């Protein structure tokens, strides 16, 4: 990657950051949604502010108003042409409707003033770049803290403190380039995926109503029969809540190589998502994008067989967003 390309990409990422910060500030001020006229045909484009089950709140780019979009069985979800593998299972595109993702929607307003979407489309490339930007910001903040700490400790040695600050800044620059690379490569990188998950968890006040782990055999993404009763109970509980969402995270035991572990963790998450959809009649739109985290976040040491068995898992959470209140 040459210097000119790095500079242009950095400028682009900084521009995206400015837009995101401005958008976040506006979103914090805007608490009520714009009501459409029942029967009105409408098209809009903008970032998802929040999700609540079948409803998503989107800030329209033109009017800067927040509109509630209702997603139903007839809503067509379409991924536009893209270079990055946002998620390998294209039949699960509806699960990719995360807060922060920019979408285009069209449909007709219902009696509640919500846009009943007939079609929603998105381009995952832009979102991947935003994720990379988030990583860069986090890396720079960490480097700045390290630099400040070094400066405090070396108050009597200004030269040494400056050297430490320079080294920290260099580390920040390097981390920024790595983050950009993660955006260019796509979300196959476990760190980039974790950043997406963090955005979902922090953007809205989701309450975890229930959580369960299911376990898998080595080198397998087949859902075990003894895991299904617990998932069935979780599905039953989820349906008892209004506006529930299900978050699915797959993991591996760091025993088959990073690429294989990554793919296996994704397949395990997808297997659980399909069980909810095909057996428990959970609409796919009620599932937040099933993510594979590879061998990251182990529950136990992978040094022994028992630990590896525990780490071959999928973590499932039933989430309810209680921060939206009246606007939906």
């Amino acid at each position: 990657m040459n210097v000119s390309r790095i500079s242009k990409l950095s400028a682009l990422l900084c521009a995206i950051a400015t837009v995101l910060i401005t958008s976040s500030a506006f979103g914090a001020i805007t608490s009520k949604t714009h009501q459409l006229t029942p029967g009105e045909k409408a098209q809009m484009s903008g970032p998802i502010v929040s999700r609540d089950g079948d409803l998503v709140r989107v800030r329209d780019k033109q009017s800067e108003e927040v509109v509630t979009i209702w997603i139903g069985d007839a809503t067509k979800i379409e991924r536009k042409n893209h270079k990055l593998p946002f998620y390998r299972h294209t039949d699960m595109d509806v699960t990719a409707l995360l807060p922060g993702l920019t979408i285009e929607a069209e449909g007709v307003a219902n009696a509640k003033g919500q846009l009943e979407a007939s079609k929603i489309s998105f381009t995952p490339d832009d979102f991947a770049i935003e994720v990379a930007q988030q990583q860069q910001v986090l890396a720079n903040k960490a480097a700045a803290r390290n630099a400040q700490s070094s400066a405090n400790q070396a108050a009597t040695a200004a030269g040494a403190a400056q050297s430490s600050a320079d080294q920290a800044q260099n580390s920040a620059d390097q981390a920024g380039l790595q983050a950009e690379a993660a955006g260019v490569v796509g979300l196959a990188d476990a760190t980039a995926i974790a950043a997406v998950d963090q955005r979902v968890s922090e953007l809205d006040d989701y309450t975890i109503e229930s959580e369960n782990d299911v376990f898998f055999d080595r080198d397998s993404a087949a859902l075990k029969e003894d895991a299904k009763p617990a998932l069935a109970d979780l599905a039953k509980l989820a349906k008892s809540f209004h506006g529930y969402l299900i978050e699915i995270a797959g993991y591996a035991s760091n025993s088959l190589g990073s690429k294989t572990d990554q793919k296996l963790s994704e397949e395990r998450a997808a297997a659980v998502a399909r069980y909810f959809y095909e057996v428990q009649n959970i609409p796919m739109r009620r599932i937040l994008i099933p993510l594979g985290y590879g061998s990251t976040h182990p529950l136990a040491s992978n040094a022994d067989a028992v630990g590896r068995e525990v780490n071959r898992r999928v973590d499932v959470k039933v989430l309810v967003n209680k921060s939206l209140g009246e606007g939906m």
Side-chain angles (χ1 to χ4, degrees), residues 178-196:
Q178 292 173 351
E180 292 170 6
V184 172
V185 170
L187 300 184
D189 176 69
T191 306
I193 295 175
V196 177

Side-chain angles (χ1 to χ4, degrees), residues 15-246:
I16 292 174
T18 302
V19 173
L20 289 175
I21 292 171
T22 304
S23 299
S24 298
F26 181 85
I29 296 173
T30 306
S31 58
K32 293 185 178 180
T33 58
H34 172 67
Q35 300 293 308
L36 300 174
T37 303
E40 173 187 357
K41 292 184 178 180
Q43 292 183 330
M44 62 171 299
S45 173
I48 296 175
V49 176
S50 60
R51 275 192 63 182
D52 183 20
D54 297 331
L55 304 177
V56 295
R57 296 173 73 229
V58 176
R59 186 171 53 253
D60 183 57
K61 285 183 177 179
Q62 290 187 344
S63 66
E64 294 193 335
E65 293 180 315
V66 176
V67 176
T68 299
I69 298 177
W70 183 83
I71 305 172
D73 292 335
T75 304
K76 180 181 179 182
I77 308 295
E78 182 179 84
R79 215 191 309 195
K80 290 187 175 181
N81 292 333
H82 61 287
K83 299 178 180 178
L84 305 182
F86 190 83
Y87 190 69
R88 68 176 71 250
H89 297 281
T90 55
D91 59 326
M92 297 184 185
D93 279 348
V94 66
T95 68
L97 300 182
L98 300 176
L101 178 69
T102 295
I103 65 172
E104 296 177 7
E106 59 184 67
V108 179
N110 61 20
K112 295 181 180 180
Q114 303 163 346
L115 180 64
E116 286 196 9
S118 58
K119 178 181 176 181
I120 293 177
S121 59
F122 67 92
T123 304
D125 302 51
D126 298 334
F127 192 46
I129 292 176
E130 292 176 11
V131 171
Q133 170 63 14
Q134 183 192 47
Q135 287 182 286
Q136 184 179 22
V137 170
L138 293 176
N140 287 344
K141 285 182 178 179
R145 287 195 300 269
N146 291 339
Q148 185 60 51
S149 176
S150 297
N152 291 340
Q153 294 175 7
T156 57
Q162 184 59 52
S163 177
S164 296
D166 290 343
Q167 291 176 10
Q169 186 58 54
N170 288 337
S171 297
D173 293 341
Q174 183 61 32
L177 293 179
Q178 292 173 351
E180 292 170 6
V184 172
V185 170
L187 300 184
D189 176 69
T191 306
I193 295 175
V196 177
D197 182 67
Q198 185 177 24
R199 291 179 63 168
V200 177
S201 300
E202 293 181 352
L203 186 58
D204 297 296
D205 183 21
Y206 289 104
T207 299
I208 300 175
E209 297 293 344
S210 184
E211 181 174 6
N212 207 335
D213 285 326
V214 294
F215 302 94
F216 291 76
D217 290 331
R218 185 180 187 275
D219 197 17
S220 173
L223 190 61
K224 295 181 179 181
E225 288 300 319
D226 60 5
K228 294 178 180 179
L231 292 179
D233 289 341
L234 210 62
K236 182 178 179 180
L237 175 67
K239 293 175 183 178
S240 69
F241 294 104
H242 169 74
Y244 72 88
L245 290 167
I246 295 178

Side-chain angles (χ1 to χ4, degrees), residues 248-260:
I248 301 173
Y251 299 91
S253 59
N254 192 28
S255 58
L256 299 170
S258 59
K259 289 185 178 179
T260 302

Side-chain angles (χ1 to χ4, degrees), residues 305-327:
V306 174
R308 291 191 293 273
E309 184 177 356
V310 169
N311 292 330
R312 295 193 296 264
R313 73 193 192 280
V314 168
D315 180 61
V316 185
K317 297 175 183 175
V318 175
L319 308 176
V320 177
N321 188 337
K322 294 188 176 179
S323 67
L324 302 180
E326 338 175 331

